[in-house]
Amino acid sequence: MASLDVITDRSDPAVQRIVDVTKPSRSVVKTALIEDPEPLLQSIRAGLGFIEVYGLETTPLPAELLDACQERNIPVRLIGTAVVNQIFKGDKKPKAFGIVRVPKPRGFADLAETTGDLIVLDGVKIVGNIGAIVRTAFALGAGGIVLVDSDLATVADRRLVRASRGYVFSLPVVLATRDEAVAALREAGTRLVSFRADGALSVRDLHDADGRLALLFGSEKTGMSDDFEGLAADSVSIPINPAAESLNVSVSAAIALHERAHRNLPAR
């Protein structure tokens, strides 16, 4: 790729575009900020439409990222240090970032087109945990994720993109109310198994379970809501040291998905 242009003028239209997209509250989210090389690469591979990708004048962009941008005809420019400092001010300055058009929200129809197990997070609100689960779900072949009462307005939330390392765009992640999720799971007929401390089955029993499963994990504080009680076919527990109070929800999801990886990865 030829030498890159450098933005040194604060009045460049791109600068205002970046400032606008970093604002914490926007009524309509049409564009999003993707930060750092790995999430950028993953988002490009997921087929997102980028307006432009930027690097710091003082930090060379990775060759792999430049090649990916060139292959997809994504414009790339560098930004001068003074302008970067004005844009991000007290925030951490990413080594690379891009402005992407937010894709159409995924729905339950998108989940129906996949074959791997589903992850259902009921009331899980800690974005770091959600992001870790998204990344693990993609790595271990899950078909998609349903976020129920997550307090997220969009999967392009800057925190979630960062926490998932950009993998949130690589598999269907559906935002839903409890009523919507219960109705869709009931209509699909997918076997729902809930994870709880006193589950009747051990997580090891999932290894040989036939067909697609929906693995349900409750919130960090209150657990599974009553709305799913009558829908769950089985309850599952993960054996742990009785002196330990519990496992982090992202760790529990990873253990469950590892038990199912022999089925989900070939299907993916």
Side-chain angles (χ1 to χ4, degrees):
M1 181 175 285
S3 60
L4 302 174
D5 292 337
V6 181
I7 299 173
T8 58
D9 189 345
R10 179 69 173 77
S11 64
D12 189 298
V15 175
Q16 187 58 51
R17 185 162 56 232
I18 298 166
V19 170
D20 289 342
V21 84
T22 59
K23 291 178 180 177
S25 58
R26 291 182 290 160
S27 57
V28 179
V29 180
K30 294 184 177 181
T31 56
L33 185 72
I34 311 293
E35 303 168 75
D36 296 326
E38 183 186 344
L40 279 170
L41 267 173
Q42 190 56 41
S43 299
I44 292 170
R45 290 168 179 162
L48 268 66
F50 275 83
I51 296 173
E52 197 164 23
V53 166
Y54 308 95
L56 305 185
E57 183 182 18
T58 55
T59 306
L61 290 170
E64 187 178 12
L65 177 57
L66 289 172
D67 290 344
C69 290
Q70 185 174 36
E71 182 180 340
R72 299 293 181 91
N73 295 316
I74 299 171
V76 180
R77 286 192 287 172
L78 303 178
I79 300 184
T81 302
V83 177
V84 169
N85 290 338
Q86 289 179 337
I87 292 173
F88 293 99
K89 296 181 180 178
D91 294 345
K92 174 190 172 185
K93 299 171 183 61
K95 296 179 180 179
F97 56 97
I99 304 297
V100 67
R101 297 178 183 87
V102 174
K104 179 183 176 182
R106 300 294 192 103
F108 288 99
D110 297 294
L111 298 178
E113 296 177 359
T114 67
T115 55
D117 291 338
L118 304 178
I119 295 289
V120 182
L121 302 181
D122 179 22
V124 177
K125 300 178 186 292
I126 298 176
V127 179
N129 285 338
I130 298 173
I133 292 170
V134 168
R135 190 175 180 185
T136 301
F138 177 75
L140 295 181
I145 298 176
V146 181
L147 301 181
V148 178
D149 190 24
S150 66
D151 288 346
L152 290 170
T154 171
V155 298
D157 184 286
R158 185 178 176 186
R159 299 165 300 161
L160 180 56
V161 174
R162 186 188 298 121
S164 72
R165 304 302 294 161
Y167 287 93
V168 71
F169 303 114
S170 297
L171 75 169
V173 178
V174 177
L175 302 179
T177 66
R178 286 193 176 88
D179 287 345
E180 290 169 342
V182 168
L185 290 168
R186 181 177 285 119
E187 182 179 354
T190 305
R191 179 185 172 192
L192 182 70
V193 296
S194 62
F195 281 73
R196 49 199 308 168
D198 58 350
L201 302 177
S202 167
V203 68
R204 299 187 188 96
D205 295 324
L206 297 183
H207 185 87
D208 297 323
D210 295 329
R212 184 185 212 184
L213 301 179
L215 309 175
L216 173 66
F217 298 88
S219 78
E220 296 89 340
K221 293 183 179 180
T222 60
M224 181 182 65
S225 64
D226 294 340
D227 302 73
F228 289 103
E229 285 285 358
L231 190 60
D234 297 292
S235 60
V236 178
S237 64
I238 299 174
I240 62 173
N241 183 338
E245 180 182 357
S246 63
L247 293 173
N248 178 278
V249 65
S250 67
V251 174
S252 297
I255 292 171
L257 286 171
H258 185 265
E259 285 291 342
R260 301 287 293 168
H262 68 287
R263 174 196 181 273
N264 291 331
L265 282 173
R268 188 175 185 87

